[in-house]
Amino acid sequence: MEGFRRREFLSRSLSLAFVFVLVLTLEVSAEDAREKDRIVALPGQPRNVGFSQFSGYVTVNQNAGRALFYWLIESPGNETASRPLVLWLNGGPGCSSVAYGAVEEVGPFQINPDGKTLHMNPFAWNKLANLLFLESPAGVGFSYSNTTSDLYSAGDQRSAEDAYAFLVNWLERFPQYKHREFYIAGESYAGHYVPQLSRVIFRKNQGIKNPVLNFKGFMVGNAVTDDYHDFIGTFEYWWTHSLISDATYRKLRALCNTGSSQHPSIECERVLDEANKELGNIDPYSIYTPPCNSTSSLRRNLRGRYPWMSRAYDPCTERYSKVYFNNPGVQKAFHANVTGIPYVWDTCSDTVGAYWRDSPLSMLDIYQELIAAGLRVWVYSGDTDAVVPVTATRYSIDALKLPTVISWYPWYDSGKVGGWSQVYKGLTFVSVTGAGHEVPLHRPRQAFILFRSFLQNKPMPR
């Protein structure tokens, strides 16, 4: 009997030792993978930035060979461990979160006009959270697939599934972020990506006592939300801002009823062409600022005459991104383009966007589900965007028929109106005055205040 107990004890000891060695091996391999992704310094980066960066690939589908590229920018110094993790997604569909969110809007670096050097963003969001930028789906930016047909068959559902697979696998490489407060943010067509991924995470977490993705909520800006209300609100915005004629507005309202169809009718497309001609050579994403093809002297003159025009806004930032991210030295520093993708890096993929498979007409049912679950939901809108304008967003929110908690009021930044806000039961809406489609690009300070209020779950300052 005593011999049996000794053998049993020895067997259990060996089993525990094996588990310990296995856990230790996994931790070491995760640390090795993480360190391989560490960015020592980016070409043209300012010195002594005070925070860590990592970038690389996470495989989301072994059979197809789909791998998504990420860039993690942590909070400075000791704040890394106490700050939440925020995933940022840009839309398109087919556009890069690295090109837009990271280096135009909320990241700590912005690209200089030479396309070679970087300068610091004083209102970078990594001062408040650890930022994770994801190029999604495969075929966007540096993300790739070994199955060529994947580039011609992307859609909402697979994008959400792949993004979830990315997060699960990424957390194995960065286990320190397991159970950390986690949020998702994005803009434009990420108005589809963000709520759909949020629902996947919420449903996967059901029944799990302590889920590794400690998901708290999401925030979207100038977001594609509901086709019917988006179109009505967009046409109304064009008309009320004197961008189109009365006759064209009436035709748009009569011929472009998109509430029941994925694609506009031929008649609708014709009148949309008419509207586009009437809009003229403007930047529809920011109707009061000049487009990139204007001269720099014109930009200076306009900014001198119109003090409300943002001095921080440069309409040509996409051009700088294309130069910077196609630099072999930059790609090496990012551990990017490891497969030698047979096309140049671009801010958006025309192929992915043109062949997009599935796109539900509305996200409102997802909003209702996640609001009922008690998740934090914030929606913001720059009020000079004519692509997904503030009127479209307000019509979509109104369709949810949520009770009002705090009525419409102006919010303030240093004594000046920064926009307006209304708090509903389960949703907060914020407008940002003078901001275009990319709110943090046009109004970086006000966007920083917005993000801080979201994380603190406090109403915008009065």
Side-chain angles (χ1 to χ4, degrees), residues 217-236:
F218 70 83
M219 178 171 72
V220 289
N222 291 81
V224 176
T225 305
D226 177 273
D227 284 10
Y228 176 74
H229 294 101
D230 284 353
F231 266 66
I232 288 179
T234 299
F235 303 152
E236 185 173 307

Side-chain angles (χ1 to χ4, degrees), residues 296-309:
S296 57
S297 60
L298 174 60
R299 289 200 297 275
R300 285 197 298 271
N301 290 338
L302 284 170
R303 288 172 182 169
R305 288 183 60 192
Y306 303 114
W308 41 259
M309 189 173 291

Side-chain angles (χ1 to χ4, degrees), residues 416-458:
K416 297 180 181 179
V417 173
W420 287 263
S421 181
Q422 182 156 335
V423 180
Y424 300 88
K425 186 177 180 181
L427 184 148
T428 296
F429 170 73
V430 181
S431 75
V432 182
T433 186
H437 192 68
E438 299 172 75
V439 169
L441 172 63
H442 296 93
R443 291 290 183 265
R445 177 185 170 88
Q446 289 77 14
F448 186 86
I449 295 170
L450 165 68
F451 185 56
R452 183 176 61 199
S453 297
F454 166 74
L455 291 178
Q456 295 173 346
N457 201 24
K458 294 181 179 179

Side-chain angles (χ1 to χ4, degrees), residues 276-342:
N276 188 55
K277 290 176 183 177
E278 290 180 354
L279 263 65
N281 182 27
I282 64 168
D283 182 351
Y285 295 94
S286 175
I287 63 174
Y288 297 130
T289 51
C292 183
N293 58 6
S294 298
T295 64
S296 57
S297 60
L298 174 60
R299 289 200 297 275
R300 285 197 298 271
N301 290 338
L302 284 170
R303 288 172 182 169
R305 288 183 60 192
Y306 303 114
W308 41 259
M309 189 173 291
S310 171
R311 295 177 183 274
Y313 175 59
D314 184 339
C316 300
T317 49
E318 288 182 48
R319 293 183 179 180
Y320 315 152
S321 294
K322 292 177 183 179
V323 174
Y324 188 78
F325 289 108
N326 278 297
N327 181 330
V330 171
Q331 294 181 3
K332 183 178 180 181
F334 269 110
H335 322 114
N337 197 13
V338 292
T339 59
I341 51 178

